[in-house]
Amino acid sequence: MSGMRGAVASSLKTRVFLLILAVFVGVSVPAYVAFDWIIGRTTMTLGTLFAEKQILFDRYRGLETLFREASLAETLARSPAIVAWAQNENDPAVRARGLAEMEHYRQAFADGSVFLVMNGTGDYYFNDRDGTYTGQELRYRIDRSNPRDGWYFSTIAREPTCQLNVDHDDNIRVTKVWVNCIVRVGGEVLGVVGTGIDLTAFIRDVVAIPQTGVQSLFVDDSGAIQAHRDPDMVDFHSLTKDTKAKKTIFLQLDDEADRQTLVAMMADVKSGRVPVRSAFLTVEGQPMLAGVGYLGEIGWFNVTLMDIDTIIDRRLFLPIGALLAAMLAIAAVLVTLLFKRQVLDRLARLEGAVRRLRSGDAVTVVPDGGRDEIGRLSEAFAAMAAAVLDQKKTLERMVEERTEQLERLANLDPLTDVLNRRGFEQAVEAERSWAGRNGTDLGLLLVDLDALKEINDSRGHLAGDRALTEVARRITRSMRRQDICGRWGGDEFVVLVSECDEFALSRFAERLLVAIRRTPVALDDGGEVTVTVSIGACMVDVSHGIDVSAAKADAALYSAKSGGRNRLVMYDPVRHAPQSQLEPRLPADAQPQH
């Protein structure tokens, strides 16, 4: 012992080494804490970013899968053939048109199935992908006393036009995600139409995509699980179940505080204040990062549960600690400076980049150029950050494209590719404001296709559709760039003519009459049909809404139709005053939409 003391006392190198070793031991504890904190913050930040992007990804998948079917079902609910059938179920001709309309939409639905419930009689019509029940679509009758039919009465009692319900229909023995859309005229409920999406296919395509450490599911407002990779976790008959009997996501959380946190997250995203909320929750004894988003179009929440330790393995950082220990052992005198320079400073820059990225800055993370573990981590993070930014841009672009598509669908008539009534009214409002400010005159034409019913009855509805599309094409080809054309509904089109007086409006309308009747319309079956139109025209009073001018044009059109069709009548306030006080003959919510 005394010999060792002498050796230490006589060797400065040994004392310095032992001193540095002691300093290392003293410094290693806080250094380890700081290192672990930085890694933890980095892991949490990356995990949160990943959670938010995963929610947006799942949100897009969910919307893409369900929104098309919901949109088609809503269009079917507004179909004039379906509305007419629901109002007069026992009329054979109306029934035949209604069944034909159902069959047309059945072939368009992804699942190939369609149903219709008549509110007056409770009759339930259904056909599946294979057309098994063709000719026998009436399957059974809804009964209010039957608990299995409670979905129907719950649906018509709710406000939204279209609703989703995961359900097993005992009568037709299928389990689907059902899209239920109310057939309604004004405030009167006439029935419910819709389709189903096979639950197994939906789970496979949307929630069962294999991702390590990631579990996606969809829940409704009450937290009832509507889609889960484990079918046993799905809460069937959610519309009619008592809340206490539902299989909810809240039952998977360990304590009440986490349940309240999840409720608050769902409320925040539903309110629209934030698109995504994320927080750590304890799920069946395991801490999980939960991300929540809201699919307002279908009334579901998409919830993603992530095991951060599985996604980002903290053991990947262990070589850094081993490297630091080896460096200190080899060059004890420089270990503190090297540790700060080679580890802490670089990690701090990395954390700063993470913080900027998390704040939403579109920054380019530049690797520090090191070739050691931290350098590789920096390169990996730079690549990850670039991937996250690229994914964000891709998702934003996809959302923007989808929004443009939805806006186009909302404002265009799908048959004629001109503006629908809603789109026309929006365009006219902007033009009317501009004309009011600049003192220019506007003219309005209401163009009615003569004898469309006769064409439909004699040549078929496809011929009628062909005539409508050709008339729309000839109108748009006759217009100027600044004029606006729309489908007012059924067999009527409307044209807003900019910068014109009554003489110019009359000349344009006369040219339009000639352009439409001059050449017969070629049909798909090789035949052809001559079409004519009747036109009611008036000048627009820019101080009033378009409905006032539309009523005047409608009065003139009525006179043109009464006078033998295939003609133009300009609005005369003396001749047409009584008729001009009426609303347009066919309201917006009753217009056929092909």
Side-chain angles (χ1 to χ4, degrees):
M1 181 64 69
S2 59
M4 182 179 295
R5 289 178 179 176
V8 171
S10 61
S11 175
L12 180 60
K13 179 179 179 180
T14 302
R15 292 200 306 272
V16 171
F17 179 78
L18 292 176
L19 178 62
I20 295 300
L21 185 60
V23 171
F24 170 75
V25 173
V27 170
S28 62
V29 174
Y32 172 80
V33 173
F35 182 78
D36 186 72
W37 177 82
I38 292 174
I39 297 301
R41 286 291 304 276
T42 301
T43 301
M44 183 179 299
T45 301
L46 290 176
T48 302
L49 285 171
F50 181 82
E52 293 175 355
K53 304 312 172 189
Q54 182 70 32
I55 284 293
L56 291 175
F57 177 57
D58 287 345
R59 174 188 177 91
Y60 178 77
R61 286 187 295 162
L63 279 175
E64 187 70 12
T65 303
L66 294 173
F67 187 73
R68 177 185 178 274
E69 301 302 294
S71 179
L72 277 175
E74 185 175 8
T75 304
L76 176 59
R78 297 195 305 265
S79 168
I82 295 299
V83 172
W85 186 20
Q87 291 173 327
N88 191 6
E89 182 183 358
N90 295 321
D91 186 305
V94 174
R95 173 189 175 93
R97 287 194 293 271
L99 287 172
E101 189 77 342
M102 281 183 61
E103 178 63 18
H104 175 72
Y105 275 83
R106 182 186 72 80
Q107 297 176 15
F109 286 126
D111 184 66
S113 66
V114 66
F115 73 88
L116 168 63
V117 182
M118 298 295 188
N119 192 54
T121 62
D123 288 343
Y124 183 99
Y125 295 84
F126 174 82
N127 207 346
D128 60 14
R129 174 186 296 274
D130 300 322
T132 305
Y133 306 111
T134 300
Q136 300 177 342
E137 287 87 355
L138 179 58
R139 305 308 307 152
Y140 66 98
R141 178 164 288 180
I142 294 290
D143 185 0
R144 185 180 290 274
S145 64
N146 185 355
R148 292 298 301 113
D149 294 335
W151 66 269
Y152 173 76
F153 300 99
S154 297
T155 297
I156 63 176
R158 297 189 176 191
E159 182 63 23
T161 300
C162 289
Q163 304 161 34
L164 298 180
N165 181 37
V166 179
D167 199 1
H168 178 79
D169 194 314
D170 297 326
N171 293 288
I172 57 176
R173 294 185 289 276
V174 290
T175 300
K176 296 178 181 289
V177 180
W178 294 98
V179 181
N180 305 325
C181 293
I182 300 174
V183 181
R184 196 192 323 256
V185 173
E188 181 184 2
V189 174
L190 302 179
V192 173
V193 299
T195 185
I197 301 173
D198 183 75
L199 183 61
T200 302
F202 177 76
I203 291 175
R204 181 188 66 242
D205 296 337
V206 178
V207 299
I209 295 179
Q211 292 178 279
T212 302
V214 179
Q215 178 179 333
S216 298
L217 59 151
F218 291 79
V219 303
D220 64 13
D221 274 342
S222 66
I225 299 173
Q226 301 299 295
H228 193 285
R229 67 178 60 178
D230 181 3
D232 292 336
M233 297 296 294
V234 175
D235 183 73
F236 298 103
H237 319 311
S238 295
L239 283 177
T240 56
K241 269 190 180 178
D242 183 77
T243 303
K244 295 181 180 179
K246 292 182 178 181
K247 297 178 182 178
T248 69
I249 189 174
F250 303 113
L251 297 178
Q252 299 187 38
L253 302 180
D254 292 352
D255 57 66
E256 185 61 25
D258 283 350
R259 296 187 188 100
Q260 294 303 319
T261 298
L262 182 56
V263 169
M265 292 165 63
M266 293 169 65
D268 280 350
V269 297
K270 184 176 181 180
S271 69
R273 291 190 293 267
V274 291
V276 178
R277 281 292 307 275
S278 59
F280 279 93
L281 305 175
T282 302
V283 180
E284 297 179 350
Q286 185 176 1
M288 305 282 282
L289 180 61
V292 179
Y294 184 61
L295 284 69
E297 294 84 353
I298 58 176
W300 282 4
F301 296 88
N302 55 311
V303 181
T304 301
L305 301 175
M306 285 158 284
D307 184 356
I308 295 301
D309 290 336
T310 300
I311 297 173
I312 304 176
D313 191 351
R314 297 171 68 91
R315 292 177 299 179
L316 294 174
F317 301 103
L318 291 179
I320 301 174
L323 174 64
L324 296 176
M327 291 172 61
L328 182 60
I330 296 172
V333 70
L334 300 176
V335 68
T336 303
L337 295 176
L338 290 174
F339 184 76
K340 180 179 182 300
R341 180 176 179 181
Q342 297 297 324
V343 179
L344 293 180
D345 289 349
R346 294 162 70 188
L347 287 177
R349 289 194 296 270
L350 181 61
E351 185 188 15
V354 171
R355 188 181 298 111
R356 293 192 300 274
L357 186 63
R358 183 183 182 186
S359 66
D361 296 338
V363 296
T364 300
V365 179
V366 180
D368 65 3
R371 302 181 63 182
D372 55 9
E373 287 82 353
I374 298 180
R376 291 196 294 274
L377 174 64
S378 176
E379 291 177 356
F381 174 75
M384 183 183 298
V388 168
L389 290 174
D390 182 66
Q391 185 184 31
K392 178 182 178 183
K393 293 178 181 178
T394 300
L395 289 172
E396 289 175 346
R397 184 174 65 255
M398 293 171 68
V399 170
E400 182 179 349
E401 291 173 354
R402 184 58 177 166
T403 301
E404 292 175 355
Q405 292 175 1
L406 294 177
E407 289 178 351
R408 178 179 175 84
L409 289 174
N411 292 323
L412 282 186
D413 178 64
L415 175 66
T416 60
D417 205 33
V418 298
L419 293 172
N420 59 21
R421 184 161 184 160
R422 173 187 174 187
F424 179 81
E425 289 177 342
Q426 291 177 352
V428 165
E429 281 304 306
E431 188 68 18
R432 189 168 63 86
S433 299
W434 183 89
R437 291 193 304 270
N438 293 274
T440 59
D441 294 326
L442 304 174
L444 188 72
L445 301 180
L446 201 56
V447 183
D448 184 271
L449 176 57
D450 296 329
L452 176 61
K453 183 177 184 303
E454 287 79 356
I455 296 175
N456 284 332
D457 292 342
S458 62
R459 308 301 292 269
H461 284 275
L462 290 178
D465 290 350
R466 181 72 182 88
L468 283 169
T469 56
E470 180 61 21
V471 168
R473 187 185 70 83
R474 295 180 185 182
I475 291 174
T476 54
R477 289 186 62 182
S478 301
M479 296 184 335
R480 300 168 300 172
R481 182 182 298 273
Q482 65 269 32
D483 298 334
I484 302 171
C485 176
R487 188 175 179 192
W488 199 239
D491 52 3
E492 290 185 351
F493 296 89
V494 61
V495 181
L496 184 74
V497 183
S498 300
E499 301 179 26
C500 70
D501 53 21
E502 285 194 7
F503 178 74
L505 181 64
S506 175
R507 291 289 302 275
F508 172 72
E510 293 288 355
R511 290 198 305 272
L512 194 57
L513 284 171
V514 174
I516 293 174
R517 71 188 177 213
R518 180 171 49 203
T519 306
V521 176
L523 303 180
D524 294 339
D525 60 4
E528 60 182 27
V529 61
T530 301
V531 296
T532 62
V533 296
S534 300
I535 300 177
C538 71
M539 298 303 294
V540 175
D541 184 354
V542 297
S543 64
H544 293 87
I546 192 61
D547 286 344
V548 174
S549 299
K552 294 178 181 179
D554 191 59
L557 175 62
Y558 182 80
S559 179
K561 300 288 281 191
S562 302
R565 304 180 180 179
N566 188 25
R567 65 189 60 211
L568 162 71
V569 172
M570 295 293 296
Y571 173 75
D572 184 336
V574 175
R575 292 170 51 206
H576 304 135
Q579 180 69 16
S580 68
Q581 304 304 315
L582 300 177
E583 292 294 325
R585 289 172 287 107
L586 203 56
D589 59 357
Q591 301 296 334
Q593 298 296 321
H594 291 259

